């Protein structure tokens, strides 16, 4: 029940395209859903996060779509650039600073020129 | 945004030695810090949750006597890998939660450990 399933495992998109990464969770107690971007040899960096009281959140070129009834959420990257090539992790947790994050398995995104 | 640092960024040691990794929250006080390890092309695996002034909570399967965690202040947590062996070679990452019950976790840049 603690799992967060992420797909696809890898994704190749041409520059300017819109890669979409999907995640699904089972634990209905989760109420905070962040996305992290990780470059090789670096720690993850928080990209954007959403709570279940909204169905969509946009920050710059990154958009999270959230479907509470389906227990799914996804990351869209608009006008993707080669510099967006990285590994993306979705995660989920219950609110509260002490609560641990449950991570998805990651998606390796490659944006080709 | 909040900044978390780690030191060292990479370390090579001989089998049987101990290695200490520091995690610092630079511009905020973190009552809770988390330690992860990450193998190549894999997701982050939580090792333990570190609370300031109390004993760390370890995840199932993580040896607390091998991975010693000390969270002595609101800005510093340390992970000591004792009697390191080649199988302990990994990428170790810490994160810290901002105070006030906020949900955001900020991650450090990671420490690459290679045990020969």
């Amino acid at each position: 029940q603690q799992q967060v399933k992420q797909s696809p495992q890898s994704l190749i998109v041409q520059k300017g395209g819109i890669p979409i990464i999907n995640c699904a969770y089972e634990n209905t107690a989760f109420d905070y859903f962040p996305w992290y971007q990780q470059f090789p040899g670096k720690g993850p960096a928080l990209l954007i996060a959403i709570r279940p009281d909204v169905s969509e959140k946009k920050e710059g070129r990154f958009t999270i779509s959230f479907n509470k009834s389906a227990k799914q959420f996804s990351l869209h990257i608009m006008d993707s650039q080669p510099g967006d090539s990285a590994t993306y992790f979705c995660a989920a947790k219950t609110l509260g600073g002490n609560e641990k994050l449950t991570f998805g398995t990651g998606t390796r995104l490659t944006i080709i020129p | 945004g909040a900044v978390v640092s780690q030191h060292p960024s990479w370390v090579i040691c001989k089998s049987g030695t101990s290695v200490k990794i520091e995690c610092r929250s630079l511009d905020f006080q973190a009552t809770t810090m988390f330690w992860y390890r990450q193998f190549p092309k894999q997701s982050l695996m939580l090792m333990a949750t570190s609370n300031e002034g109390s004993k760390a909570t370890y995840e199932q399967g993580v040896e607390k006597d091998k991975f010693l965690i000390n969270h002595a202040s609101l800005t510093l947590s340390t992970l000591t890998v004792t009697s390191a062996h080649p199988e302990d070679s990994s990428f170790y990452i810490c994160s810290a939660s901002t105070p006030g019950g906020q949900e955001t976790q900020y991650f450090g840049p990671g420490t690459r450990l290679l045990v020969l």
Side-chain angles (χ1 to χ4, degrees):
Chain A
Q1 197 177 19
Q2 290 294 323
Q3 278 188 322
V4 176
K5 296 181 180 179
Q6 183 171 347
S7 63
Q9 188 174 16
S10 62
L11 184 59
I12 300 174
V13 172
Q14 202 150 21
K15 177 184 174 183
I18 305 175
I20 300 173
I21 304 170
N22 301 297
C23 285
Y25 64 99
E26 299 174 355
N27 188 348
T28 54
F30 287 149
D31 50 12
Y32 176 69
F33 304 89
W35 284 89
Y36 287 87
Q37 177 190 58
Q38 185 179 31
F39 293 104
K42 305 293 183 183
L46 178 66
L47 264 181
I48 185 172
I50 197 168
R51 296 188 187 185
D53 52 346
V54 296
S55 60
E56 186 175 281
K57 183 174 182 180
K58 183 176 181 179
E59 286 185 3
R61 295 185 294 109
F62 300 95
T63 300
I64 299 179
S65 297
F66 187 84
N67 186 329
K68 187 175 181 178
S69 60
K71 292 185 285 186
Q72 296 175 347
F73 58 109
S74 59
L75 177 70
H76 299 60
I77 305 176
M78 308 301 175
D79 187 27
S80 57
Q81 302 296 315
D84 296 327
S85 298
T87 299
Y88 292 81
F89 292 96
C90 63
K93 70 189 290 281
T94 55
L95 281 176
N98 294 342
E99 295 299 322
K100 60 185 179 183
L101 283 167
T102 298
F103 279 91
T105 49
T107 297
R108 178 169 289 195
L109 173 65
T110 303
I111 307 297
I112 54 176
Chain B
V3 179
V4 176
S5 71
Q6 280 183 244
H7 178 81
S9 56
W10 59 271
V11 56
I12 301 173
C13 69
K14 292 182 179 180
S15 184
T17 61
S18 294
V19 175
K20 181 184 283 189
I21 302 170
E22 292 185 350
C23 176
R24 293 182 185 272
S25 56
L26 297 186
D27 50 2
F28 67 100
Q29 292 182 328
T31 53
T32 303
M33 289 184 174
F34 303 85
W35 286 96
Y36 298 82
R37 67 187 298 182
Q38 186 179 35
F39 292 106
K41 298 184 181 181
Q42 293 190 22
S43 189
L44 288 81
M45 184 190 81
L46 180 66
M47 299 175 66
T49 301
S50 168
N51 294 295
E52 187 267 337
S54 63
K55 291 183 178 180
T57 302
Y58 290 81
E59 295 298 299
Q60 191 173 10
V62 177
E63 299 177 59
K64 63 180 181 180
D65 294 330
K66 180 168 185 63
F67 298 100
L68 300 179
I69 291 172
N70 187 310
H71 193 161
S73 78
L74 288 172
T75 59
L76 173 64
S77 176
T78 60
L79 168 68
T80 301
V81 184
T82 62
S83 186
H85 288 90
E87 57 266 30
D88 298 323
S89 299
S90 189
F91 192 49
Y92 292 87
I93 311 172
C94 71
S95 72
S97 288
T98 51
Q102 296 299 311
E103 63 273 11
T104 305
Q105 276 190 33
Y106 294 95
F107 284 80
T111 296
R112 177 77 60 191
L113 170 63
L114 177 60
V115 184
L116 301 177

